[in-house]
Amino acid sequence: MTDWLSQVKNAKKSCMVQNNLKKVHYDFGNGREMVEEYNTDTNVVTRRAWKLKNGMDAEGEWDIELGDPEVNFNKEQLLFIKESSTQPVVTRRNTRINLEWRIRNLPYPIETYSVVVDEEKKSLVVRTTNKKYYKVLRIPELDRLYLQPVQEAVRITHKFNTLIITYKKPKQLLELEKNVLEEVNKIKPNNYGDMDCKPS
Amino acid sequence: MASAAAAKIAEVRETTRVERIGAHSHIRGLGLDESLEARHVSQGMVGQMSARRAIGIVLKMVRDGRIAGRAVLLAGQPGTGKTAIATALAAALGHDTPFTSMAGSEIYSLEMGKTEALTQAIRKSIGVRIKEESEIIEGEVVEVQIERPATGVGTKVGKLILKTTEMETVYDLGGKMIDSILKEKVQSGDVITIDKATGKITRLGRSFARARDYDATGQQTRFVQCPEGELQKRKEVVHTVTLHEIDVINSRTHGFLALFSGDTGEIKPEVREQINGKVAEWREEGKAEMIPGVLFIDEVHMLDIECFSFLNRALENEMAPIVIMATNRGITRIRGTNYKSPHGIPLDLLDRMIIVPTSPYEEKELREILSIRCEEEDCQMSDNALTVLTRISKETSLRYGMQLIMTSSLIARKRKAAEVDVEDIKRAYQLFFDEGRSVQFLKEYQQEFMFNEEDAIEMDTS
């Protein structure tokens, strides 16, 4: 994998602006597609999703890397198996200086949790002492920079049945995001979305 | 709580319903040794040595998988074990090789053309083994809860609690999933994997932690460790699907739900062409592997001339499976024409086939088969009764003899006997007519039946 910034530079990009949201679509070639949503007020990425391609079925879905998961009303899925709505769900929501994971539906007190950096897997491992929850969280932002996660940057808080894990963005990442943002600002937005709509 | 308990009981009953005894459920394989020689009595098969040896060679051919589009014809009188041999071949091939069994009359449907039905059958018999990364759930079952509405109709609701050494999660189950869980008889303590995309359940074994639950366990029970880490994993899995399944999934109008309803309709040739191309591409990339299987068409004389000419053409395709046909007809009319031909099959197709004859059973073999059936149907029979039954089978037919096993066993049970005796067989023989006696009865009392004109049109059975 080549360096992320040059990939972004070489990708076919298009974007559109809706109110204070800027949606950017990247086509990296060989079938890899990504969509990002920027908040134009804060210049922070609020959503990032990858197009999934699976072998047999022609139609792929979106894998949400960042932001709230899309609500799936697809009936076909209901035929099989899914996690109960009372089970923990992980969502990602980054801020300007932090990478953030929110795990909802975790009612246990904060002493229960431990979040440890796994150097080998390059990820964060969430454990509970009561053996109810376990999750390996990959950090795609760091993967792109080939950075090793460090334990010192991890902080956890627990509020309203939600475990919030924050990871302080390293300098290289802040740098990269600045450069990517510059690239994004170069794209000329398509004008649909904010056209004059005059309902009669 | 009481309703939940009631639901549990009903569920147990439902799961036992699956194992019923069919005409060929005693067959577990072809009964051949390593050098493909037929053992006289083995794996539920008796006699027909040369036919079994021949099919053993076909088995070798299918396993090698190099030869495409051969046709084999099993020809013989009714009740000489043609379908039994085909069933045995299916059992011997195992789960991974596709085996499609159909009756010749199945292709006549209002919803699709004859050739479409044949094409689907052919494509059902070609497997593709695909390596794919897929999302699976692997864990030990803590609890299965399945509740059905009190009225008995409507959707069932289910919950499944799975755990690993590190975590525990509650899953909601959909209707199809509940059915397959009931079918697989998943219970707490089992270690299972579920393919999230297809809903396929595989039982890995029972958890070591539950090893002491029962004093006695079956030999097949395998004990495994409780899985570690996360419940949901991405794993490279190898699964076998048939070309037909890929067709259905990719035919836009239906989607993969059609796989469950069975209502696939006709599939466009463009879709098939596209799939063929895609599979060829996967094979080149080393992602997929072809497994040619077996298509078995029973009562093949029910096919008509169009189907035969279509088969002629289809067998030449290099993607064609091995086609095994069975017929009990002699020289008869080819359906859809006025020509007569051996087995009701046109000569040009016959020429492409290798023909395996089956011959009527000897008395000794009949006895063996009947005693195997007695065992299968859980019926104790005295030696004398078995001798009488063998005689009856010899004089009437093997099928009639097999019918008498269950009936006479019920008669024996009524008089609270431990085993079936000659008396019971006699009683059953008097109560139920075989075909010969029925015909004779009709001849004697013909004038008392309706529509009994002497010059009545004879039934056309060809």
Side-chain angles (χ1 to χ4, degrees):
Chain A
M1 199 161 136
T2 51
D3 147 53
W4 181 249
L5 187 59
S6 61
Q7 274 194 59
V8 166
K9 274 182 181 157
N10 293 330
K12 221 163 85 185
K13 295 178 285 285
S14 59
C15 93
M16 61 188 243
V17 181
Q18 258 177 351
N19 300 331
N20 63 347
L21 268 188
K22 185 183 221 173
K23 300 184 181 182
V24 191
H25 177 264
Y26 301 79
D27 186 351
F28 296 106
N30 60 40
R32 299 200 312 136
E33 285 176 64
M34 183 184 84
V35 168
E36 278 182 341
E37 268 178 31
Y38 283 87
N39 185 326
T40 46
D41 299 336
T42 57
N43 282 333
V44 169
V45 186
T46 53
R47 274 168 89 80
R48 185 180 292 139
W50 288 87
K51 181 94 172 171
L52 289 181
K53 274 264 154 69
N54 59 353
M56 278 208 291
D57 210 340
E59 202 174 307
E61 285 168 23
W62 289 92
D63 177 33
I64 312 283
E65 185 190 304
L66 191 68
D68 292 329
E70 227 159 308
V71 187
N72 201 348
F73 292 113
N74 205 340
K75 274 265 158 40
E76 290 176 8
Q77 304 277 318
L78 293 179
L79 285 173
F80 294 130
I81 185 167
K82 68 173 197 308
E83 270 137 52
S84 170
S85 53
T86 57
Q87 293 304 301
V89 277
V90 184
T91 52
R92 301 249 358 235
R93 187 179 295 181
N94 288 0
T95 62
R96 204 163 44 78
I97 48 163
N98 286 326
L99 304 172
E100 214 175 273
W101 288 263
R102 283 157 187 261
I103 308 178
R104 292 178 212 286
N105 294 335
L106 276 179
Y108 322 109
I110 188 150
E111 312 86 72
T112 328
Y113 312 102
S114 76
V115 180
V116 180
V117 166
D118 187 328
E119 309 238 318
E120 208 176 307
K121 288 187 205 151
K122 293 189 178 176
S123 43
L124 301 176
V125 181
V126 185
R127 280 198 184 84
T128 48
T129 49
N130 58 6
K131 303 284 181 207
K132 289 290 185 196
Y133 190 70
Y134 175 90
K135 182 93 190 163
V136 179
L137 300 170
R138 296 206 60 96
I139 316 174
E141 285 89 347
L142 297 191
D143 284 348
R144 281 176 205 131
L145 283 164
Y146 311 105
L147 285 179
Q148 207 45 261
V150 284
Q151 185 71 51
E152 290 79 59
V154 183
R155 199 133 285 139
I156 59 171
T157 46
H158 186 261
K159 231 191 265 176
F160 309 122
N161 280 352
T162 305
L163 178 73
I164 303 170
I165 304 164
T166 48
Y167 187 95
K168 197 161 179 297
K169 285 183 185 170
K171 255 197 223 90
Q172 297 96 314
L173 183 58
L174 290 170
E175 188 72 19
L176 175 78
E177 284 184 344
K178 216 177 84 193
N179 291 333
V180 172
L181 186 66
E182 263 170 36
E183 280 303 312
V184 167
N185 284 335
K186 277 188 217 158
I187 319 165
K188 233 179 110 173
N190 288 328
N191 262 343
Y192 52 87
D194 56 344
M195 61 179 170
D196 283 342
C197 175
K198 290 191 182 113
S200 52
Chain B
M1 203 54 235
S3 71
K8 278 272 158 62
I9 293 164
E11 168 193 322
V12 170
R13 252 183 233 140
E14 196 171 83
T15 49
T16 47
R17 196 182 54 192
V18 187
E19 283 152 18
R20 300 188 64 204
I21 303 161
H24 295 114
S25 49
H26 59 283
I27 293 165
R28 294 178 309 278
L30 274 168
L32 305 172
D33 58 19
E34 281 92 74
S35 55
L36 294 179
E37 288 291 312
R39 294 195 207 97
H40 188 70
V41 180
S42 172
Q43 296 187 310
M45 296 294 282
V46 180
Q48 301 299 0
M49 309 289 270
S50 65
R52 272 159 62 201
R53 216 174 299 154
I55 293 297
I57 289 162
V58 173
L59 171 70
K60 189 91 177 50
M61 191 160 79
V62 176
R63 283 215 180 120
D64 285 350
R66 299 245 321 277
I67 307 293
R70 287 298 160 85
V72 182
L73 179 68
L74 286 166
Q77 294 92 321
T80 50
K82 297 178 297 294
T83 314
I85 287 177
T87 317
L89 177 65
L93 279 172
H95 279 304
D96 224 20
T97 314
F99 184 93
T100 318
S101 179
M102 67 184 290
S105 43
E106 256 174 62
I107 59 157
Y108 301 104
S109 150
L110 284 179
E111 278 179 11
M112 55 177 110
K114 289 176 276 190
T115 51
E116 170 71 17
L118 272 178
T119 314
Q120 286 194 4
I122 286 173
R123 289 178 76 88
K124 267 181 207 161
S125 324
I126 298 278
V128 185
R129 195 179 284 141
I130 304 173
K131 276 195 220 107
E132 210 179 32
E133 198 172 71
S134 88
E135 208 139 280
I136 63 154
I137 302 167
E138 184 179 65
E140 180 187 326
V141 180
V142 179
E143 202 181 333
V144 194
Q145 299 172 0
I146 291 166
E147 280 164 38
R148 67 200 65 223
T151 51
V153 284
T155 47
K156 288 176 237 173
V157 196
K159 269 202 168 68
L160 176 70
I161 307 179
L162 290 176
K163 71 164 186 184
T164 66
T165 50
E166 308 274 4
M167 67 183 291
E168 198 176 293
T169 304
V170 184
Y171 289 95
D172 286 338
L173 301 177
K176 291 285 168 202
M177 204 67 205
I178 292 176
D179 288 348
S180 53
I181 278 181
L182 289 179
K183 209 173 108 202
E184 288 281 329
K185 296 181 186 168
V186 172
Q187 41 174 283
S188 53
D190 288 343
V191 177
I192 59 170
T193 64
I194 302 171
D195 187 331
K196 225 183 168 189
T198 60
K200 200 179 147 219
I201 301 177
T202 322
R203 264 169 82 176
L204 300 178
R206 280 190 69 78
S207 167
F208 269 116
R210 301 293 194 111
R212 278 160 212 273
D213 274 12
Y214 306 111
D215 289 337
T217 49
Q219 275 184 334
Q220 297 90 342
T221 316
R222 203 156 49 122
F223 288 102
V224 291
Q225 293 290 357
C226 183
E228 292 175 355
E230 280 177 279
L231 271 166
Q232 225 179 96
K233 296 167 193 166
R234 293 191 76 81
K235 248 196 187 169
E236 180 150 282
V237 288
V238 178
H239 50 198
T240 317
V241 290
T242 65
L243 279 182
H244 175 69
E245 282 165 331
I246 307 181
D247 287 349
V248 173
I249 290 169
N250 282 277
S251 67
R252 264 291 135 251
T253 44
H254 303 288
F256 82 129
L257 279 188
L259 270 183
F260 297 109
S261 61
D263 165 36
T264 57
E266 298 215 356
I267 291 165
K268 291 198 191 80
E270 296 88 67
V271 174
R272 293 218 167 94
E273 232 159 72
Q274 204 188 325
I275 301 301
N276 286 351
K278 217 182 209 177
V279 169
E281 199 179 289
W282 289 343
R283 279 174 75 189
E284 255 169 44
E285 289 169 11
K287 270 206 290 193
E289 193 186 332
M290 297 272 293
I291 314 164
V294 174
L295 170 62
F296 174 58
I297 308 177
D298 211 348
E299 314 278 333
V300 73
H301 49 264
M302 292 308 292
L303 299 187
D304 62 11
I305 186 77
E306 292 162 39
C307 300
F308 286 128
S309 71
F310 175 79
L311 272 180
N312 256 341
R313 181 83 186 77
L315 284 177
E316 276 168 14
N317 192 323
E318 58 178 23
M319 295 266 244
I322 306 275
V323 181
I324 296 181
M325 304 177 213
T327 180
N328 52 21
R329 298 291 156 93
I331 295 173
T332 182
R333 213 161 54 80
I334 303 169
R335 190 169 170 162
T337 65
N338 285 321
Y339 300 107
K340 282 197 167 182
S341 182
H343 309 298
I345 299 172
L347 281 172
D348 57 342
L349 183 58
L350 266 180
D351 197 28
R352 285 161 198 260
M353 295 200 261
I354 37 180
I355 300 174
V356 178
T358 56
S359 48
Y361 289 109
E362 303 282 316
E363 195 158 330
K364 222 174 80 197
E365 292 164 347
L366 285 177
R367 197 188 163 92
E368 286 291 350
I369 295 172
L370 287 168
S371 84
I372 289 173
R373 286 305 300 181
C374 282
E375 208 173 290
E376 183 71 20
E377 293 179 24
D378 240 350
C379 163
Q380 296 286 330
M381 194 172 281
S382 69
D383 265 4
N384 285 338
L386 196 57
T387 315
V388 171
L389 194 58
T390 313
R391 282 288 300 285
I392 291 173
S393 309
K394 181 82 185 158
E395 248 122 69
T396 60
S397 76
L398 178 56
R399 289 215 169 91
Y400 178 70
M402 290 209 256
Q403 310 272 31
L404 287 191
I405 295 176
M406 201 62 229
T407 45
S408 58
S409 125
L410 285 173
I411 290 167
R413 208 179 296 163
K414 216 169 75 184
R415 63 175 182 92
K416 300 203 169 53
E419 58 174 17
V420 177
D421 221 330
V422 182
E423 285 306 302
D424 307 308
I425 303 273
K426 271 189 184 158
R427 182 107 182 89
Y429 183 74
Q430 282 160 3
L431 279 176
F432 303 104
F433 272 19
D434 59 291
E435 168 247 1
R437 273 184 295 159
S438 176
V439 170
Q440 203 186 350
F441 176 81
L442 284 183
K443 279 190 183 146
E444 272 171 40
Y445 296 98
Q446 202 171 33
Q447 51 278 37
E448 280 157 48
F449 283 90
M450 283 174 70
F451 306 122
N452 61 333
E453 289 92 61
E454 286 296 303
D455 53 352
I457 312 147
E458 236 180 73
M459 189 177 98
D460 183 10
T461 47
S462 64

